[in-house]
Amino acid sequence: MPSRPFRLRVHDTLTGRKIVLTPPARGHLTIYVCGVTPYESGHMGHAFTFSIFDVLVRFLEANGVRVKYVQNITDVDDPLLERARRDQIDWRELADRETKVHLRDMTVLGWRPPDVMPRVSDEIKGIVAAASRLHSTGYAYKTDALYFDASKYRGYGRLSHRTRRSMLRRLREEGMLGTVGPSAKRDALDFPLWRRSGPDEPAWPSKFGEGRPGWHIECSAMSMHYLGAQIDIHGGGRDLVFSHHESERAQSESLTHKVPFARAWVHTGMVRYEGRKMSKSLGNLVKVSQALQRAPAAAVRLYLVGHRYRRDWSFEWQGLARSARLVEGIAKFLAQDARTATRGGSARPGRALMAEFNAALADDLDTPRAVRTLRAAVRQRDAAAVRAMKDVLAGSASLT
Ligand SMILES: [Zn+2]
């Protein structure tokens, strides 16, 4: 248990500043991270985001903070349903298969599993209830679908720091602009909470007709269901800031009038490969399974978290190889130490090393600095410090 008050500084996307997060006096520090849409799982972009949040959770817990961590599975969403249609397989089968890939990869990469991993398809009741409440309180209207009226929420665009024009541009890029008209949405910024399902798409009964939820309301409803009206940290990849998180924030605060919905919005950068953003459409995804063929799991983890979480970076095989050499050194040193350690000795990690390590992570999760401190601990032959740091940075990922 910590004897001193624990403080974490994190960069908050909404204010654009580092803010201080102190753990609650009682109960848990709550974290909601938007999980995968399981149709093309298991690449480095995903692994980076979830490894970074794993370091965050492990770092908090190593300092005696109790954490409740929720990460959802978006198994009802346009890209997944489109892919299922293209590949002519059942959407559930695709979602199950790709969810397994995600869980397998993250298990090998040594994560501390989230406390709850809700799947949208299991959460429809809560989602419909949230949509209904927005409708009955005047934040949503029904035409060909049930839409959230973005003009009713003051500050739509503030999280992403975008003007109306820039939001519209982004919606166009995402292919989410939709149709504006008397029988559709009133304004291009409005977005569906509940819509009719297409052929071969899942559909559930609701008072708004048979259909399926819109993407954003799914996360608002799941986050509130498992973590309450307000959460400490809401995380995800930076590509989710607009429109997903912007819309989630608008809905959640309109639902509860409890502000802020999230005390800190934490976003990870994009992973590039050969100079371009890693994406399914460009076909340049590097899979976790490919990296694991060349390096131990702990090396993949340390390579990923060796990057500053907010920055975009490029995946390079040479970088992974460097990380593999570090891990080889750690494995050798710890094996040697285990052979020579005196039985019953209470080796404690060096205070200066641990202070530097903790200071690095408490300062907006400076993982590259933390990895450098791990290297220093190996050089200084401090086995207890090496173990403690490895546990936070690489979790239970194997060193060999
Ligand atoms: Zn989400």
Side-chain angles (χ1 to χ4, degrees), residues 349-366:
R351 204 178 278 179
L353 278 170
M354 289 313 292
E356 164 62 13
F357 182 78
N358 286 321
L361 293 178
D363 181 14
D364 195 24
L365 218 63
D366 190 343

Side-chain angles (χ1 to χ4, degrees), residues 32-35 72 74 215-216 218-220 222 234-235 240 244-245 248:
Y32 185 94
V33 173
C34 287
N72 71 295
T74 310
W215 177 27
H216 314 311
E218 299 174 343
C219 280
S220 284
M222 288 185 283
H234 195 313
L240 299 181
H244 187 48
H245 289 169
E248 248 189 76

Side-chain angles (χ1 to χ4, degrees), residues 222-237:
M222 288 185 283
S223 166
M224 285 189 220
H225 181 223
Y226 291 100
L227 298 174
Q230 292 174 290
I231 53 180
D232 291 304
I233 296 178
H234 195 313

